[in-house]
Amino acid sequence: MSFDSLAGQLLAPLDDLMAVLPLPGMEYGWHRNALLAALLVAPMCATLGIQVVTFRMAFFSDAVAHSAYTGVALGILAFGTHATVGVTLAMMAFGVLVGLGVAVLRERSRQAPDAVIGVVFPAVVALGLVVTALASDRGLTATMGPFLFGDVLNMTAGDVLFLALLAVPVFVFQAAGYNRLLLIGLNPVLARTRGIRTGVWSAAFAALVALVVTGSVRTVGVLVVGGLLVAPAAAARNVARSAGGMFWWALVFSTISAVVGVELAFVLKKAPTGPVVILCATVIYGLSEAWRSAHKR
Amino acid sequence: MPSGTISHGAACVLGHAIEIEGVSVRLDGVNILENVNAGVPMGKLSALIGPNGAGKTTLLMTMLGLLPHQGAVRFCGCGPHGSGVPRVGYVPQRLDFDRAAPISVLDFMCVAIQGRPLFLGRRRSLSRRGREALARVGAEKLAERPLGRLSGGELQRVLLAQVLLEDPHVILLDEPVSGVDAAGEQLFLDLVREITAPGERTVLMVSHDISVVAERAEHVIALNRSVVAQGPPREVLSTEVLLELFGVRVHHLGACADRDHGSAAPAKPCSCGHDHSAEGKQP
C-alpha cells in the first residue's frame, strides 16, 4: 500500500467531517486537503513564531526558508524529479543543516547575528541557482515551481498526513520547552542557574524552525512562509496580557488566517492560496497594532 | 586545561558559607581571574567590589558553575553539623526582553519553577508562592503588571522575590542597584538586609557603589583580578586599598563614622586608622 492510500484511509473520517462544513468548495477533495494542510501549517508556524519573535529570529527563519530552494534542487539532482519523498526529505535535511550551521556560526563568530545570516543566506540561494542552472537539462526548473510559490491545491492525503506528523514534534516541543525558552529569552544566565541547558534548547529550536519552515514551503511557498511564522505571533503579542495568552492568541489568529485565506482564494478563483493566507495574517497583524494603540498598551 | 571544582555541602572553616580557593579563569587567552582566594562569612551581607573589568561578574559566573576555571569553589554545608547541601540563588542585574512582551510579573515568578507550560495556565499553588514572595519584597501589587511596565527599582524587587521562591541559603546578587534611583536603591538594600537578618541567609552582592558597601555590608572582598583585601568594611575600605583598587582617591561616605561612632562623635579620630582629611581630594 502506498503512503498516499494509507493516508487516505487514515484521514477518511476527518475528510467526511470536512465535507459537511458549510464553507465554499467543500465538495472538492483537493479543496478539503488544501484547508486541512493550511490548518496544520498555520498553527504550527504561529506557535514557533512566538519564540522566533522573542529571540529576534525572523531573518533567520527567512534564510532557512530560502534554503529550501537549494535543498529541493539538490534533492532533485540526487533522487530525480519524481521522487517526491526523497526530494522533500533532502530539502528538510538541508534546511536543518543550514539552520544549525547558522546557529553555530552565530555563537562562534564575532559578527552580529544578522551579518552572519546575511552572509549565509545569499550564499545558500546562490548555490541553489548554480545547481539549477547546471542541471537545467534534467527538468529541474519546472519541478521547483511548487516549492517556490506553494502548491496547496495539489496536496494529496499523503501530504496532509506528513504535515500532521510534523505537527507532533512541534507541540511536544512547545509543551516541554515553552517555559524554558521564555526564561532563556528573559535571562540566559538565570536559565542556566536553573539547570536549563541553553545551548541544547537553542540548537533544538533552530533545528525545529528549519524543519517546520521547510516542511511548510509546499503549502505556502518559500517566498512568503516567514509571514505565517511572524505575523500571527506578533499580533498575539499585541493583544495578549500574559505569557500563556500569547500562545492561544497566536493559534487563534493563525487558524483564522488559514480558513479565511483558503476560502477567499477559492472564491476569488485566480488568487494563489498561500499568499492570500499570508495577506490575511498581515491584515490581522495590522488590526492588532491599531487595537494596541487605541488601548494605549 | 581548566580542572576546577565546585562542591555543594562541603566541609569548611567554621563560619564560612562559601570558600574560594585558588580560582583562576582564562577567557579568550586573557586572564580574567588569577588565583582568587576568599571566604564569604555565613549569615552575613558581603560585598564584592572592584573597578570595571576586575572580574567581579566573572567570579560570580564561576561560582554558579557557568565558566571553565581552575581552583575550587566550595558552598559550605548549611545543616546543624556542617552537613546539608545549601540552596544557591542568583539575582541577575536585569532581564533582556523587549518591553512590549506580554509577560506579567506572576508569569515571571512561575516560569522558572513550573513544569507545566504557561499556556496551560499557572499552577494555583505556584501562583500563591509567587504572590507570597512578592509580598516579602513589598511588591504584591505588581503581580498582574506586565514586566515591561515596571520601573528599575520595581524590577529589582521582583528579581529579588524570584530568588526567594526557593528559600535559598546563599544568594548571589549581580550589581543589584545599578540603574535604580536613590530612593529605590535604599528600599532595595533595606530589603536585602531584611532577608539576611535572620542570620541564616548569606548574601554576596557585587557592587560598584562604595558608599553603599560602607553603609550596608558586613564583609567586603576587594577584587582586581585577584583579591586585594578582604574583611570588615572599615578595614578594607581604607584609602590605600581603594587607591590600589581604583587608581584614584575615592571618597566614601563616612564608613567609620556611621559604623563605629554614630553621628554623636563626629570629631573623634576614626578607628579605621587612616587619615580622612586626605579623602575627597581627587588627584
Side-chain angles (χ1 to χ4, degrees):
Chain A
M1 194 192 297
S2 76
F3 184 67
D4 256 331
S5 56
L6 176 74
Q9 282 183 15
L10 276 173
L11 295 172
L14 191 60
D15 196 50
D16 292 345
L17 204 71
M18 300 273 295
V20 297
L21 280 179
L23 288 170
M26 283 304 150
E27 61 273 31
Y28 305 111
W30 53 266
H31 185 73
R32 295 196 293 273
N33 280 345
L35 184 57
L36 263 180
L39 279 173
L40 283 164
V41 163
M44 195 153 56
C45 287
T47 61
L48 283 179
I50 291 169
Q51 289 103 12
V52 166
V53 175
T54 303
F55 294 115
R56 297 177 180 88
M57 283 168 70
F59 189 31
F60 167 86
S61 52
D62 228 19
V64 167
H66 282 73
S67 77
Y69 171 80
T70 310
V72 170
L74 293 171
I76 290 173
L77 216 56
F79 303 108
T81 43
H82 299 290
T84 320
V85 176
V87 171
T88 305
L89 290 180
M91 167 187 71
M92 294 174 81
F94 187 72
V96 171
L97 204 71
V98 170
L100 287 177
V102 169
V104 169
L105 260 180
R106 216 172 30 179
E107 283 290 310
R108 301 274 165 89
S109 167
R110 285 178 182 274
Q111 305 287 343
D114 67 335
V116 170
I117 298 167
V119 170
V120 176
F121 180 2
V124 167
V125 174
L127 178 67
L129 290 170
V130 170
V131 170
T132 26
L134 288 180
S136 55
D137 53 331
R138 299 172 71 165
L140 226 141
T141 321
T143 326
M144 306 283 297
F147 290 95
L148 271 181
F149 306 112
D151 190 25
V152 74
L153 301 184
N154 284 318
M155 288 266 162
T156 62
D159 294 327
V160 173
L161 185 63
F162 164 77
L163 290 173
L165 291 175
L166 189 59
V168 174
V170 172
F171 287 98
V172 168
F173 181 86
Q174 289 291 9
Y178 194 77
N179 296 2
R180 290 182 169 94
L181 290 168
L182 198 61
L183 190 57
I184 293 172
L186 285 169
N187 190 300
V189 173
L190 185 61
R192 286 173 70 188
T193 64
R194 294 277 181 176
I196 298 170
R197 300 173 66 178
T198 51
V200 173
W201 280 99
S202 303
F205 178 69
L208 194 62
V209 167
L211 214 57
V212 167
V213 165
T214 51
S216 305
V217 295
R218 267 205 61 204
T219 311
V220 279
V222 162
L223 298 174
V224 292
V225 67
L228 264 194
L229 213 56
V230 179
R237 285 162 67 91
N238 278 340
V239 298
R241 284 165 186 272
S242 68
M246 188 161 55
F247 180 89
W248 297 109
W249 279 114
L251 271 187
V252 167
F253 288 154
S254 61
T255 305
I256 293 173
S257 307
V259 175
V260 174
V262 171
E263 294 307 323
L264 199 61
F266 177 80
V267 173
L268 294 175
K269 291 198 166 66
K270 278 184 179 170
T273 307
V276 176
V277 171
I278 300 295
L279 288 176
C280 287
T282 315
V283 168
I284 291 174
Y285 170 73
L287 292 174
S288 79
E289 282 291 347
W291 187 88
R292 183 187 171 101
S293 62
H295 287 73
K296 301 258 186 300
R297 283 177 60 187
Chain B
M1 274 308 284
S3 54
T5 58
I6 292 178
S7 45
H8 292 259
C12 295
V13 172
L14 192 67
H16 276 180
I18 311 168
E19 289 179 349
I20 298 160
E21 194 182 316
V23 165
S24 299
V25 174
R26 196 176 159 84
L27 295 175
D28 293 332
V30 179
N31 292 326
I32 313 282
L33 295 175
E34 287 175 64
N35 193 29
V36 173
N37 291 288
V40 178
M42 189 172 278
K44 289 187 175 170
L45 172 58
S46 298
L48 183 60
I49 62 165
N52 283 335
K56 302 184 296 290
T57 298
T58 302
L59 183 57
L60 218 58
M61 296 299 117
T62 306
M63 293 166 78
L64 290 166
L66 304 181
L67 288 177
H69 64 280
Q70 284 183 315
V73 176
R74 289 189 290 272
F75 288 96
C76 310
C78 55
H81 307 291
S83 58
V85 177
R87 285 185 295 276
V88 179
Y90 163 70
V91 181
Q93 200 172 7
R94 57 171 175 270
L95 296 176
D96 323 304
F97 65 107
D98 65 290
R99 301 199 146 249
I103 302 169
S104 72
V105 168
L106 213 48
D107 281 336
F108 173 63
M109 297 300 282
C110 288
V111 74
I113 53 171
Q114 178 169 308
R116 181 165 83 185
L118 281 177
F119 57 80
L120 295 181
R122 297 185 294 246
R123 275 194 195 287
R124 203 168 289 174
S125 58
L126 297 183
S127 288
R128 196 170 53 238
R129 254 171 80 189
R131 284 181 195 278
E132 282 165 9
L134 287 170
R136 293 192 62 183
V137 299
E140 62 271 46
K141 283 187 182 152
L142 303 178
E144 302 295 343
R145 288 261 292 275
L147 275 181
R149 290 283 184 87
L150 302 182
S151 70
E154 287 170 337
L155 185 59
Q156 277 305 346
R157 279 187 285 150
V158 168
L159 289 170
L160 189 63
Q162 172 273 141
V163 83
L164 292 177
L165 277 174
E166 292 186 307
D167 195 23
H169 299 91
V170 177
I171 298 177
L172 305 177
L173 283 159
D174 193 1
E175 294 274 6
V177 289
S178 57
V180 176
D181 59 26
E185 180 179 324
Q186 289 302 325
L187 181 61
F188 182 79
L189 291 164
D190 285 342
L191 283 166
V192 171
R193 180 174 269 186
E194 206 176 296
I195 60 169
T196 357
E200 288 171 4
R201 223 191 291 277
T202 305
V203 177
L204 178 62
M205 177 174 93
V206 169
S207 184
H208 266 126
D209 192 334
I210 303 303
S211 65
V212 163
V213 171
E215 199 181 324
R216 308 280 176 151
E218 296 161 277
H219 185 87
V220 179
I221 299 169
L223 185 78
N224 196 359
R225 268 201 259 177
S226 57
V227 173
V228 174
Q230 56 183 320
R234 64 173 178 278
E235 288 171 19
V236 175
L237 301 178
S238 67
T239 312
E240 296 74 37
V241 170
L242 294 179
L243 187 62
E244 185 180 345
L245 210 53
F246 294 98
V248 291
R249 287 185 187 278
V250 179
H251 179 66
H252 65 87
L253 300 169
C256 316
D258 283 351
R259 212 157 254 286
D260 299 336
H261 315 294
S263 52
K268 262 174 112 179
C270 183
S271 68
C272 51
H274 64 272
D275 182 7
H276 284 279
S277 63
E279 286 176 13
K281 293 174 191 164
Q282 298 286 331

